[in-house]
Amino acid sequence: MSTQVPEEKEQTETEQEVNAETEAEITESASYGDQRRADRDAQRQQSVSGAPADIEGESFQLKVFRYDPEVEGKMEPRFDDFAIPKEKGMTVLDALIYARDRYDTTLTFRHSCRQAVCGSDALFINGRQRLGCQTQISDLEAPVRVEPLPHQDVVKDLVVDMEHFYDQMHAVEPFFQPEEDPDGDLEEYRQTRENREKIKMSTRCIWCGACMSSCNVAAGDNQYLGPAAINKAYRFAMDEREGENMKEHRLNVMDQEHGVWRCQTQFSCTNVCPKDIPLTEHIQELKREAVKQNLKFW
Amino acid sequence: MHEHDVLVIGGGGAGLRAAIAAHEEGADVAIVTKLHPVRSHTGAAEGGINAAIREGDDWELHAYDTMKGSDYLGDAPAIETLAQDSPEETVQLEHWGMPFSREDDGRVSQRPFGGLSFPRTTYAGAETGHHLLHVMYEQVVKRGIQVYDEWYVSNLAVTDHDDPDERECHGVVAYDIKTGAVEGFKARNGVILATGGTGQVYDHTTNAVANTGDGAAMAYRAGVPLEDMEFVQFHPTTLPSTGVLISEGVRGEGGILYNSEGERFMFEYGYANNAGELASRDVVSRAELTEVNSGRGVEDEYVYLDMRHLGEERITDRLENILHLARDFEGVDGLEEPMPVKPGQHYEMGGIETDENGETLIDGLYAAGECACVSVHGSNRLGGNALPELIVFGARAGRHAAGADLGEAEITKGKTAEIEEEDGLDTPVEPGAVPSGDDEAVADGGDDVAADGGAAVVEPDETVRRAVERERTRIEELMEKDEGVKHSDLRADLQQSMTENVNVFRNEEGLKQALEDIREVREAYQDVYVNDPSRTFNTDLIHTIETRNLIDLAEAITLGALARDEFRGAHWRQEHQERKDDEWLKHTMLSWNDGTPELWYKPVILDGEDKTYEPKERSY
């Protein structure tokens, strides 16, 4: 455990080897561009608002899970503490970037769009799956604790292996399968506004994996398709453009041991979904449809 | 060594479309992307896709609007290709299942957009790009196209011919982010660059952190000219604190811009007496900043975009995503209060010089999408024209690379008889120059001359092998250093200078200052080091390599901007307040020239299929 703050920095022995040079960096960074950086810091300080939650100069503690399978001193998982100056509108992602760029450039996490659409930075923040970029520090209690998504193999620090998630997504025939193309040149399929509205929420999935990570059933059953993949199937099964035969086929894919019937309606996926998709509801609707379809043959 | 017929670098809209097209032609195609395809920034595009698919509209109107929007710096063959192919490509997306917003009759909806004479922007809520990206990834999955995700392509494998015109591209070198392996990828037919935008050159941008212009920088250093890089689009409505994009769709649906006095300034101050808020993006961005500079901005920084009068039902139906963005990233409820907005870097009109089939100067190397410059957008892109660009030119590049005959291109590549050389540009520093030192090889990862002075390498396998060796050496040297300068500091300084000096308003002094700052960053980059010794998911290394790309692209943007002493489209010069058609109906071209960048010009093509586009005064 080590606490990293701008002025001083303690290190555990194991860490010393890895970060021998960071100390020098923080106390007396390389001579390049010092003045400009100081100016920038001054500007940043000025831009800090005076709102109660963001008192100038006040910092909060960011606790981050660390692990690297091949770097001595990081092979044993641990938490590092960073002191992060509060800024108005700061998100967990901003705080992680601050910690990485200022204190420890080896801190590793996925991120890209910064606006909750690429799904790269789903993390376990204060005990709940959230997107780092969409989570305001001011909405959290300090210390802010950031861990990789549970129930997935950790590659390094906050990066998890997403392969299983992708495999499940690919397992539900996640592509449009209409029966025939519309007649005529440049003719689109017709779809009612109501039908588009029905599938709208399901099409918003950004594949972040928060739901899968929050699901107790998925944690105990590696074959369970999981909420994201089932939601993807729902998106097509409910799309009137595919036609009745395809809907029947899709329900058959769902109507299996590791499909919709494993869901125990705990609503954890729905609770954590950053796009507010009613996942549990969608799974239940597929259960009902599957039952109705089976009854047809009695 | 991995081997495929066609390699697509980048898994966004253009890359996925190119891969599908090449696959449909029967090629063995693979996508190599530093992210996973669904993480690409195409997913953040909001507004829509321009396509003339309705009664009363036709491709010629679309072409005319695009040419006018380009301020007569788009090439007619490229613009007409876009307008002609877009309807079919857009309907193709619908046939792949894209959940477009619908009209009462069940057909896809279209809405008005800036600079359009017909409401031809086809949309899916305010999240069109997200749906486009996911629909195309679904098609990639359906076809079983191989995706190497989280592989970072750090260099191209190009032959060593002295003349770039004779060079051939035989593949790429990529770094496996998960394991640290550096491997060669051979392409039997072609490599298609689809690496997206360059927004990270600036610090206030709508672009993702991954938009570092890798493809453009690699192609540039391999000998392909960059075209029109000084034309950077600043989107008029981005959230002040983060740069998150608020779609033009808000204004398309009737949103209004107000200054701090509550005046509807687009009309009140005559910026656009007819189109008002729906003038083209360059016009609106300049209007907003003029308001702020005249003391009529809110908090001296931004203006208001108000959509409350549209009513909850319409907003929720067509712009729901905007409510989420305003709430999550600015703490504003768009139903109850106006949203603060200011211009932010959004799109790079320039890029890798290509023809309308996606081919570049180097044989076997293609580019499509934002990283390419055909040129469709000239000096200013219209809203709703980026997504059709991805699918139209992605598809063409994919087909051509796979061997399809698309006919002879009309756009020429490289230097022809008609080019002009730039002489006597007064720059404060030599462009591209870096002090020589022991670690020059590290900084010059893109150098295309055999470092060992050996014979030129032209054989495909050997070309890839050689490129892999060089890249391994470069990466080892970066990793070996245990002290020096951090890439994040360099990147921040570069972004700050570009944002201060090469923004919406430009003048000679600022541009020269930027060139000096870029040189300082370039020199400091000689001492850059990678602190993380790990081979597992080393983002420190990736960002370090990306930063080198940003330096070269920032310089290309600034050089072109300094040389172009006129005001055209997105390029506004304080000292030169008019468009100079006699002198400047030409594309800015920049060749890397083995490290001593050279500026030259090629004429714009205004002759279309059956008409010539006459430059007119552009007003909205």
Side-chain angles (χ1 to χ4, degrees):
Chain A
M1 175 73 72
S2 67
T3 300
Q4 309 202 8
V5 293
E7 293 74 31
E8 54 187 333
K9 176 169 166 292
E10 297 167 23
Q11 291 186 321
T12 58
E13 277 178 34
T14 45
E15 206 191 334
Q16 225 136 33
E17 199 164 311
V18 186
N19 289 336
E21 58 285 89
T22 53
E23 186 162 356
E25 226 176 65
I26 287 161
T27 49
E28 42 174 315
S29 64
S31 60
Y32 167 78
D34 269 357
Q35 187 50 48
R36 237 182 305 189
R37 212 149 5 265
D39 294 348
R40 240 201 328 270
D41 284 353
Q43 275 178 2
R44 183 178 283 125
Q45 285 299 339
Q46 278 172 7
S47 70
V48 170
S49 107
D54 311 290
I55 296 160
E56 190 167 333
E58 194 187 317
S59 60
F60 67 94
Q61 194 184 29
L62 184 72
K63 278 180 103 64
V64 187
F65 177 90
R66 307 300 303 273
Y67 163 76
D68 188 323
E70 56 163 322
V71 172
E72 205 177 330
K74 280 181 78 180
M75 291 180 191
E76 283 300 312
R78 64 158 196 262
F79 281 87
D80 278 356
D81 288 0
F82 300 93
I84 310 290
K86 269 191 187 165
E87 284 179 33
K88 184 170 180 286
M90 189 179 225
T91 63
V92 171
L93 176 62
D94 295 334
L96 287 168
I97 290 172
Y98 188 95
R100 179 191 68 197
D101 289 353
R102 290 313 192 81
Y103 300 150
D104 182 356
T105 53
T106 72
L107 178 60
T108 302
F109 46 93
R110 287 191 183 103
H111 65 112
S112 187
C113 76
R114 308 164 297 130
Q115 57 183 85
V117 76
C118 75
S120 301
D121 68 345
L123 297 162
F124 200 52
I125 299 165
N126 281 5
R128 179 192 163 116
Q129 286 82 358
R130 314 171 200 249
L131 297 181
C133 61
Q134 201 186 22
T135 306
Q136 295 285 327
I137 293 293
S138 55
D139 292 341
L140 299 171
E141 281 187 21
V144 174
R145 186 183 170 101
V146 186
E147 299 166 71
L149 287 180
H151 308 318
Q152 280 158 283
D153 291 343
V154 178
V155 177
K156 176 179 169 183
D157 292 353
L158 301 173
V159 174
V160 293
D161 187 339
M162 295 289 288
E163 282 312 305
H164 177 65
F165 177 84
Y166 295 143
D167 288 346
Q168 301 307 75
M169 292 301 275
H170 294 167
V172 298
E173 300 178 25
F175 38 81
F176 193 56
Q177 299 181 70
E179 278 170 13
E180 52 191 30
D181 278 351
D183 287 338
D185 216 21
L186 293 185
E187 269 302 322
E188 58 261 51
Y189 291 94
R190 297 293 197 270
Q191 181 181 29
T192 61
R193 290 170 65 99
E194 293 72 27
N195 186 247
R196 187 203 182 248
E197 196 60 27
K198 182 166 182 63
I199 64 166
K200 181 178 82 178
M201 293 307 286
S202 67
T203 63
R204 291 201 173 155
C205 174
I206 54 173
W207 296 45
C208 69
C211 58
M212 193 84 166
S213 162
S214 76
C215 175
N216 283 339
V217 176
D221 174 4
N222 222 22
Q223 292 178 62
Y224 175 44
L225 289 169
I230 295 175
N231 175 70
K232 190 80 176 169
Y234 176 96
R235 176 256 172 277
F236 291 111
M238 297 299 162
D239 191 324
E240 66 188 11
R241 292 174 295 171
E242 278 202 342
E244 281 306 310
N245 292 342
M246 184 46 64
K247 181 170 180 178
E248 197 175 306
H249 168 71
R250 290 200 181 273
L251 289 171
N252 288 338
V253 173
M254 290 298 105
D255 185 17
Q256 46 155 309
E257 189 187 349
H258 299 284
V260 291
W261 298 108
R262 300 288 287 147
C263 169
Q264 298 171 5
T265 58
Q266 295 174 337
F267 286 89
S268 50
C269 56
T270 306
N271 289 337
V272 301
C273 177
K275 305 310 271 188
D276 300 326
I277 303 170
L279 294 158
T280 312
E281 205 174 301
H282 287 172
I283 300 170
Q284 302 333 297
E285 196 174 342
L286 288 173
K287 285 180 185 175
R288 287 195 296 274
E289 293 288 317
V291 169
K292 279 197 287 193
Q293 179 172 296
N294 292 338
L295 287 175
K296 275 198 286 195
F297 303 108
W298 285 14
Chain B
M1 192 185 297
H2 304 267
E3 254 194 65
H4 296 276
D5 293 338
V6 176
L7 284 173
V8 178
I9 315 308
L16 296 174
R17 188 63 193 88
I20 293 165
H23 186 267
E24 283 179 336
E25 290 292 331
D28 157 28
V29 57
I31 297 166
V32 189
T33 166
K34 66 179 175 181
L35 304 170
H36 177 282
V38 302
R39 317 279 173 227
S40 307
H41 206 55
T42 300
E46 293 165 10
I49 311 170
N50 294 339
I53 55 174
R54 289 288 175 261
E55 199 72 18
D57 196 10
D58 69 44
W59 72 261
E60 287 173 322
L61 287 171
H62 183 188
Y64 176 80
D65 291 343
T66 302
M67 181 59 94
K68 178 184 170 187
S70 82
D71 220 352
Y72 304 93
L73 200 69
D75 287 323
I79 288 176
E80 294 190 344
T81 300
L82 176 90
Q84 287 166 346
D85 286 9
S86 181
E88 196 181 325
E89 283 291 338
T90 305
V91 172
Q92 172 69 81
L93 286 174
E94 200 280 333
H95 288 187
W96 285 338
M98 183 153 161
F100 283 109
S101 293
R102 300 278 164 171
E103 294 298 330
D104 289 337
D105 65 359
R107 302 179 85 184
V108 301
S109 295
Q110 296 194 298
R111 63 176 157 219
F113 240 52
L116 297 184
S117 55
F118 187 92
R120 72 173 68 88
T121 307
T122 315
Y123 64 97
E127 49 205 24
T128 313
H130 163 78
H131 294 304
L132 179 138
L133 181 71
H134 280 258
V135 158
M136 289 212 285
Y137 181 65
E138 289 161 8
Q139 292 300 309
V140 163
V141 171
K142 179 182 177 183
R143 290 164 169 76
I145 293 169
Q146 184 160 5
V147 178
Y148 298 89
D149 62 301
E150 297 188 325
W151 280 80
Y152 179 55
V153 173
S154 63
N155 217 344
L156 308 176
V158 173
T159 57
D160 279 342
H161 297 91
D162 284 344
D163 182 355
D165 204 0
E166 292 172 13
R167 290 176 194 162
E168 294 164 2
C169 181
H170 292 298
V172 302
V173 186
Y175 174 92
D176 183 355
I177 299 173
K178 291 185 277 292
T179 68
V182 177
E183 293 185 20
F185 288 73
K186 183 181 161 191
R188 288 181 288 261
N189 295 23
V191 171
I192 302 172
L193 297 170
T195 55
T198 60
Q200 287 301 309
V201 165
Y202 292 86
D203 69 6
H204 189 83
T205 173
T206 64
N207 284 199
V209 179
N211 288 24
T212 51
D214 303 325
M218 289 187 293
Y220 174 47
R221 292 193 299 261
V224 182
L226 291 178
E227 180 174 353
D228 290 340
M229 290 296 285
E230 67 270 34
F231 297 105
V232 179
Q233 177 161 87
F234 293 85
H235 195 290
T237 57
T238 73
L239 295 176
S241 58
T242 55
V244 165
L245 170 72
I246 297 300
S247 170
E248 187 161 307
V250 175
R251 283 169 292 136
E253 298 291 351
I256 295 173
L257 290 167
Y258 293 112
N259 63 17
S260 62
E261 316 286 307
E263 295 162 305
R264 194 172 175 182
F265 57 87
M266 290 305 297
F267 291 104
E268 293 274 336
Y269 293 92
Y271 298 110
N273 289 328
N274 299 317
E277 284 83 4
L278 278 181
S280 71
R281 290 174 176 178
D282 52 340
V283 174
V284 182
S285 286
R286 278 191 295 269
E288 289 177 5
L289 284 183
T290 305
E291 289 300 297
V292 172
N293 294 343
S294 309
R296 296 189 295 270
V298 187
E299 292 184 23
D300 272 338
E301 188 193 9
Y302 54 84
V303 295
Y304 284 125
L305 174 62
D306 194 351
M307 63 176 183
R308 292 172 295 181
H309 56 286
L310 302 178
E312 185 168 356
E313 191 184 340
R314 187 160 164 199
I315 292 172
T316 308
D317 183 35
R318 301 182 182 195
L319 299 165
E320 188 185 355
N321 188 41
I322 301 304
L323 292 176
H324 298 313
L325 294 172
R327 186 197 60 212
D328 291 348
F329 299 104
E330 205 68 38
V332 168
D333 179 352
L335 293 173
E336 299 293 331
E337 49 199 323
M339 298 174 285
V341 292
K342 75 177 208 186
Q345 192 281 345
H346 183 55
Y347 182 91
E348 170 59 75
M349 267 75 73
I352 302 162
E353 182 206 34
T354 69
D355 62 24
E356 57 272 45
N357 299 332
E359 285 199 282
T360 72
L361 182 67
I362 291 180
D363 200 32
L365 184 64
Y366 295 77
E370 190 174 350
C371 73
C373 182
V374 190
S375 157
V376 169
H377 310 301
S379 61
N380 171 63
R381 173 172 76 74
L382 290 184
N385 262 355
L387 296 180
E389 173 191 26
L390 305 183
I391 51 183
V392 166
F393 293 101
R396 292 179 76 88
R399 286 188 196 119
H400 199 281
D405 180 9
L406 303 182
E408 195 65 32
E410 290 176 57
I411 293 170
T412 58
K413 301 181 296 292
K415 294 183 176 178
T416 57
E418 292 179 298
I419 67 129
E420 285 175 50
E421 302 279 349
E422 165 71 43
D423 47 8
L425 178 65
D426 173 25
T427 56
V429 292
E430 277 300 308
V434 283
S436 60
D438 296 342
D439 45 15
E440 201 172 354
V442 176
D444 258 340
D447 211 343
D448 43 47
V449 176
D452 52 12
V457 171
V458 295
E459 195 272 325
D461 284 32
E462 187 51 34
T463 303
V464 178
R465 257 196 300 276
R466 169 79 72 95
V468 170
E469 280 313 307
R470 281 188 203 157
E471 217 47 18
R472 282 186 181 148
T473 305
R474 164 159 83 142
I475 287 169
E476 268 165 37
E477 289 184 6
L478 279 171
M479 299 279 285
E480 270 170 13
K481 284 192 190 180
D482 48 19
E483 59 180 9
V485 181
K486 286 196 294 188
H487 68 80
S488 56
D489 290 339
L490 296 177
R491 200 183 276 208
D493 289 345
L494 184 77
Q495 291 173 342
Q496 189 179 20
S497 179
M498 290 297 287
T499 304
E500 269 171 32
N501 300 309
V502 198
N503 209 301
V504 174
F505 296 135
R506 300 165 176 184
N507 61 38
E508 184 173 341
E509 191 191 351
L511 294 168
K512 287 186 169 175
Q513 180 61 52
L515 283 175
E516 294 200 29
D517 293 343
I518 292 164
R519 180 194 170 98
E520 201 178 309
V521 170
R522 191 188 283 286
E523 282 180 11
Y525 189 85
Q526 302 295 295
D527 296 321
V528 80
Y529 83 114
V530 177
N531 184 29
D532 192 344
S534 181
R535 284 189 306 271
T536 305
F537 227 94
N538 193 333
T539 51
D540 198 9
L541 171 68
I542 301 299
H543 296 160
T544 301
I545 297 172
E546 287 171 344
T547 300
R548 164 68 206 270
N549 295 337
L550 293 173
I551 294 169
D552 288 342
L553 295 171
E555 184 176 82
I557 292 167
T558 311
L559 276 175
L562 182 61
R564 187 173 284 269
D565 49 14
E566 67 156 349
F567 161 30
R568 182 182 300 272
H571 176 64
W572 181 98
R573 282 286 300 267
Q574 191 179 351
E575 314 85 350
H576 307 280
Q577 285 293 292
E578 74 240 341
R579 195 176 80 193
K580 301 174 184 170
D581 288 346
D582 298 347
E583 220 181 319
W584 282 108
L585 278 173
K586 58 193 183 189
H587 297 289
T588 306
M589 309 300 293
L590 189 69
S591 298
W592 176 242
N593 205 13
D594 299 342
T596 49
E598 178 194 6
L599 208 54
W600 48 282
Y601 296 96
K602 79 175 186 185
V604 68
I605 306 172
L606 295 176
D607 293 330
E609 257 176 36
D610 44 26
K611 71 164 172 234
T612 297
Y613 296 84
E614 287 296 330
K616 295 192 187 75
E617 193 185 345
R618 190 165 149 257
S619 63
Y620 287 101

